Amino acid sequence: MSVMDNQLSRRRFLQATAAVGAAVGLGGITAACSAVGTQGGTFNWMTWSDHYIDTQLKAIEDSDKIIANITPLEGNAEGFAKLKEVKGQLDMMSADALWVRDAYNKEGLIEPFDIEALTVAKDLYPFARKFEIWTTPEGYLGYPIGWSPIMIYYDPAKVSGSPDSWEVLLDPQYKGRIVVEHQPEEIVAYMARAAGFDTPYSLSDDQLATVRDLLLKLKPNILKFAGQATDTVNSLVSGEAWLATGNIGNEDRVKDANGPEIKGYVPKEGTVAWQDSEMIVKGGANEKLIKPFWEKAEVAENIAANFNAYGRPLFNEKAYKLLVDAGQKDKADRYHYNDAEEILSKAVLKGPGTSIDKSIQLFNEVFGA
Amino acid sequence: MAPFAPAAFVLVGLFFVPLTVMLAYSFWTTDASLHVVPVWTLQNYEHFFQNATYVRTLLKTLLMGVAVTATCLVMAFAVAYFLARYISRRWARLALLIIIVPFWSSYLLRVYSWQAILGEKGVINDVLMGLGVLSEPSRLFIYNDIGTYIVLTYVYLPFAILVLYSALDRFDFTQLTAAQDLGARPDQAFRHVLVPQIRAGIITAAILVLIPILGEYLTPSIVGGASGLLIANLISNFFTNALFSEGAAIGFMIVALVTLLLIAFRRYLRVEDVYARG
């Protein structure tokens, strides 16, 4: 093969590569933007996996031609940072409690809306349409979805007495027997609550020093950091973990997986809680699809199914009635479905604090080598 | 220059530019609203060196990498030597295929499966208790540095085997016989005849194992427990909380370490070694 042939071949190769690249790129852009017609379209949604059920999304796609293009959401801070970068490339975003007001709305990233104008919102508990933290003169900031306090679960066959405090996590007799979810800022917040601090996401240096001592006591007791809730359940089922932190409903999840009877409680010092919502992203190219999507996705039947699928309370009152009618009152009540107002008022809601940097530094200092 | 344009575009656009952005981030700060503020400062690096935990964790990561690399090289050499010398090429290829079969499944799945092997109710404990070696399940094998070491060795061993087999497959084993005919002991023949000729393969295998381990995040987070975390886990804690400046600074400490290691390796890896044998 001559040098000329070689160059020609390379040029052709580059031309072909460029053509394929352009086609792939154009296809991706087209798919991402997708023309929004009056009959539907695709919107981009960054959310947690328990905010939807695939079959329900498919049903909405079939009936209304509204397609949700979902990007997994790892956590509040990460989602916030990503939205700041991509802005209108997303149309809908999920976030917790004070993150909605103090991060997303403060940065002007979301569009307030009139929740009372949504037909489906009438299925919500009245208080869920009036959360002070999500109410602004411009409108409501988030469509309420689910909630849970962080609880401590234990296997009564292995853990002595009836613990009611965070203190049990620091007891040396449970060395290597505790599983906590891998959320460093939350683990620091738990220990802040154990110390009696009411602002676990905005800690002073003195408070952080106290929390540091508690984290040092906690460290040898931790078996592992669970990547997801199922890891926690599996550890309790196998018996390698005797204690764990988690959301409402772990008793049933462990039992359903043929594990031991475990018990759960809200620590007497108080806990933290999450309360999540969907937000409309300001400037989202497909923003007009969001409310029609909510009208279909958030109906009580779907929320009741969501409760059964993911096992934590939600803010839809009509769904509770459906669960009662279906003979599931006992389960719904055990999950405190009806007690949101009371439980959330006693907990510290998740939010962006002023000490997140120092909290992560502290966590790393304690759990590094 | 034109022939290099595509490579230059890829290298500059997809490597140097993002790396430069992260380098800049590492000298900036993150404010309470999680904004990266472009104010030049050394504080992220100062914090790394002032806080013994980060230095210790980086050194621990390096130690883990060296231990796993050494283990992989020894095990891989034994396997590759056997395949190259004592097995026909057809069967050796089949064996190599079997070795790489696990790569067809997800990395995550493979690491998770080790929980079922090393855990309290895992296969190893079952066997040891069945043999009467243990009276109750041991918690020694998982959720600590030992667990991380075992699983990292498993994950990276095939890379080392493939590279070393490739090197040994081109080696003329009659040279070992000739060396011994000329009076060399087996170990002398090994050290002075075999090793120099497969040096490029050994170093390449070491690089392929050691460098990725310095950035390993998943394995320690799944089987390392609270005490088996490596430096990438600490970096991850910053990035998942949108503290990009702090994470970038520690990330660049790994980059610096990797660069130093590559320079050190390069002294022993002549480029012509790689090409000389086609």
Side-chain angles (χ1 to χ4, degrees):
Chain A
M1 184 184 282
S2 70
V3 171
M4 183 64 82
D5 288 340
N6 193 24
Q7 285 175 345
L8 193 62
S9 168
R10 184 186 300 123
R11 186 176 298 123
R12 280 184 178 164
F13 171 76
L14 290 173
Q15 285 169 343
T17 306
V20 170
V24 170
L26 202 60
I29 291 167
T30 307
C33 295
S34 76
V36 180
T38 51
Q39 296 302 310
T42 300
F43 73 91
N44 299 306
W45 181 15
M46 183 178 269
T47 189
W48 287 290
S49 58
D50 64 349
H51 278 221
Y52 59 90
I53 295 175
D54 287 335
T55 50
Q56 293 171 352
L57 296 182
K58 183 72 174 67
I60 295 170
E61 182 180 335
D62 291 344
S63 63
D64 294 73
K65 311 292 181 234
I66 298 175
I67 302 166
N69 179 36
I70 292 170
T71 303
L73 175 61
E74 296 293 330
N76 286 299
E78 192 181 13
F80 175 58
K82 283 179 179 170
L83 185 60
K84 279 197 296 185
E85 295 302 319
V86 305
K87 293 200 169 78
Q89 289 176 36
L90 287 168
D91 304 296
M92 189 159 89
M93 186 89 197
S94 306
D96 267 322
L98 291 162
W99 280 93
V100 175
R101 181 190 71 186
D102 297 344
Y104 289 93
N105 191 51
K106 189 177 169 190
E107 288 288 322
L109 296 172
I110 56 172
E111 195 76 62
F113 58 93
D114 180 6
I115 193 165
E116 300 296 346
L118 291 166
T119 306
V120 75
K122 293 177 176 45
D123 293 351
L124 295 168
Y125 287 99
F127 68 82
R129 300 196 296 267
K130 293 170 186 155
F131 283 122
E132 197 182 320
I133 58 169
W134 293 344
T135 302
T136 69
E138 293 78 31
Y140 214 54
L141 300 178
Y143 189 93
I145 304 295
W147 62 278
S148 175
I150 299 302
M151 300 172 64
I152 294 176
Y153 289 93
Y154 66 98
D155 181 347
K158 310 268 179 57
V159 175
S160 55
S162 299
D164 61 356
S165 158
W166 290 104
E167 282 289 322
V168 70
L169 301 184
L170 312 177
D171 190 332
Q173 68 176 309
Y174 303 123
K175 185 179 178 185
R177 291 298 182 185
I178 297 170
V179 172
V180 291
E181 286 189 40
H182 187 200
Q183 294 178 323
E185 78 285 13
E186 298 302 333
I187 294 168
V188 171
Y190 301 162
M191 291 301 100
R193 293 300 276 157
F197 303 141
D198 292 331
T199 53
Y201 303 107
S202 299
L203 299 167
S204 67
D205 288 349
D206 287 345
Q207 289 174 324
L208 283 163
T210 305
V211 169
R212 184 177 190 277
D213 292 340
L214 298 182
L215 284 172
L216 287 170
K217 287 184 185 173
L218 176 68
K219 183 179 178 181
N221 288 0
I222 292 184
L223 174 73
K224 67 171 178 177
F225 299 113
Q228 46 197 338
T230 50
D231 287 342
T232 302
V233 171
N234 290 339
S235 294
L236 288 164
V237 169
S238 71
E240 61 184 6
W242 298 353
L243 289 139
T245 55
N247 300 328
I248 281 176
N250 269 350
E251 302 99 321
D252 286 356
R253 284 187 273 275
V254 171
K255 196 174 172 184
D256 291 347
N258 297 319
E261 295 271 354
I262 63 165
K263 291 183 176 178
Y265 64 91
V266 173
K268 64 182 180 188
E269 299 90 343
T271 189
V272 297
W274 54 266
Q275 169 184 320
D276 58 20
S277 70
E278 311 298 4
M279 306 173 297
I280 300 173
V281 175
K282 187 173 278 182
N286 310 295
E287 185 188 322
K288 68 170 78 166
L289 293 174
I290 305 303
K291 288 175 186 171
F293 175 77
W294 283 347
E295 294 287 7
K296 293 287 182 176
E298 306 302 336
V299 295
E301 290 76 10
N302 284 349
I303 299 301
N306 187 296
F307 172 80
N308 281 322
Y310 301 116
R312 83 278 186 249
L314 298 113
F315 289 113
N316 192 304
E317 185 176 24
K318 189 176 173 188
Y320 174 76
K321 290 171 182 163
L322 291 179
L323 291 166
V324 171
D325 292 345
Q328 296 189 68
K329 184 177 188 306
D330 175 56
K331 181 180 175 185
D333 287 348
R334 275 191 291 110
Y335 283 44
H336 301 282
Y337 197 111
N338 247 340
D339 306 328
E341 218 173 352
E342 184 196 343
I343 291 177
L344 291 176
S345 68
K346 292 178 184 169
V348 172
L349 295 175
K350 286 192 182 186
T354 56
S355 62
I356 186 167
D357 183 3
K358 289 180 176 175
S359 291
I360 300 303
Q361 294 278 15
L362 175 60
F363 180 90
N364 281 350
E365 284 170 25
V366 171
F367 288 96
Chain B
M1 182 57 199
F4 298 109
F9 173 76
V10 170
L11 200 62
V12 171
L14 303 181
F15 183 69
F16 282 117
V17 170
L19 211 60
T20 304
V21 170
M22 292 311 294
L23 183 63
Y25 271 27
S26 75
F27 288 104
W28 294 348
T29 58
T30 308
D31 68 14
S33 301
L34 303 178
H35 290 151
V36 175
V37 184
V39 175
W40 297 96
T41 175
L42 288 171
Q43 76 175 42
N44 298 318
Y45 289 96
E46 285 170 1
H47 197 270
F48 177 88
F49 287 108
Q50 284 168 358
N51 192 321
T53 303
Y54 292 110
V55 177
R56 275 201 307 267
T57 309
L58 184 60
L59 290 176
K60 176 188 164 183
T61 305
L62 181 60
L63 190 64
M64 177 68 77
V66 169
V68 171
T69 303
T71 309
C72 281
L73 285 180
V74 170
M75 293 172 72
F77 184 85
V79 173
Y81 190 91
F82 181 78
L83 293 179
R85 183 157 192 187
Y86 301 114
I87 303 285
S88 72
R89 191 161 282 185
R90 192 161 64 100
W91 286 106
R93 283 180 180 159
L94 182 64
L96 289 172
L97 182 69
I98 292 168
I99 287 166
I100 63 169
V101 158
F103 282 89
W104 297 354
S105 66
S106 140
Y107 177 103
L108 193 64
L109 192 68
R110 280 181 282 142
V111 176
Y112 263 111
S113 69
W114 276 92
Q115 288 186 336
I117 298 170
L118 302 173
E120 262 186 278
K121 294 187 176 173
V123 176
I124 290 181
N125 268 309
D126 282 352
V127 169
L128 292 176
M129 287 174 68
L131 293 171
V133 177
L134 296 175
S135 56
E136 59 181 34
S138 171
R139 296 162 70 194
L140 182 69
F141 310 118
I142 196 168
Y143 305 132
N144 50 33
D145 290 329
I146 295 172
T148 302
Y149 166 79
I150 292 171
V151 178
L152 284 177
T153 301
Y154 159 78
V155 167
Y156 287 99
L157 181 60
F159 290 106
I161 291 175
L162 289 175
V163 173
L164 286 181
Y165 174 78
S166 173
L168 284 164
D169 191 43
R170 290 179 305 213
F171 178 74
D172 180 1
F173 285 96
T174 58
Q175 290 182 62
L176 289 179
T177 312
Q180 290 179 67
D181 284 348
L182 293 171
R185 294 192 310 271
D187 65 299
Q188 287 176 319
F190 175 83
R191 281 188 286 115
H192 297 298
V193 177
L194 176 62
V195 169
Q197 293 191 55
I198 63 164
R199 184 181 55 199
I202 293 170
I203 293 173
T204 305
I207 290 172
L208 279 177
V209 175
L210 177 59
I211 305 292
I213 288 174
L214 298 179
E216 258 292 343
Y217 160 76
L218 258 178
T219 295
S221 67
I222 293 173
V223 298
S227 61
L229 302 182
L230 300 181
I231 193 71
N233 298 96
L234 305 191
I235 295 173
S236 161
N237 291 338
F238 285 119
F239 278 101
T240 53
N241 284 283
L243 299 166
F244 298 132
S245 304
E246 293 84 341
I250 306 180
F252 267 93
M253 297 312 297
I254 297 184
V255 172
L257 182 62
V258 168
T259 306
L260 285 174
L261 287 170
L262 287 175
I263 289 170
F265 275 130
R266 198 181 181 285
R267 288 185 60 193
Y268 301 99
L269 179 67
R270 292 193 299 268
V271 174
E272 58 268 28
D273 285 346
V274 178
Y275 291 103
R277 295 180 174 278

